[in-house]
Amino acid sequence: MANLPVAAIVRIAKQNGAERVGSDAAAALVAKTEEYIAGLTVEANKLALHAGRKTIKAEDVEMAAESA
């Protein structure tokens, strides 16, 4: 699985109130974020296939996020 940039995840954490983020916490945030995106993609793909499409659209992602 491709790794998300740690700096981007740390920046998001700081934008949401974290003053500092330790390296172990950053690694855990990256891992959990990747897990979430993977699961969201699986569900969005199911919705796209159900609609007869191979392409995931924003509406598929939104619906998948609502059901999570």
Side-chain angles (χ1 to χ4, degrees), residues 3-67:
N3 290 329
L4 292 171
V6 175
I9 301 301
V10 169
R11 185 171 52 252
I12 292 168
K14 287 183 176 183
Q15 288 171 346
N16 286 281
E19 189 171 322
R20 295 172 55 176
V21 180
S23 60
D24 58 337
L29 283 168
V30 166
K32 290 297 181 183
T33 301
E34 288 176 348
E35 287 176 21
Y36 176 76
I37 292 172
L40 190 62
T41 302
V42 167
E43 293 305 314
N45 191 52
K46 287 179 188 176
L47 291 166
L49 291 174
H50 181 72
R53 292 182 275 105
K54 292 183 181 180
T55 303
I56 296 174
K57 293 187 172 187
E59 63 196 45
D60 302 319
V61 176
E62 292 294 331
M63 288 178 66
E66 288 175 8
S67 67

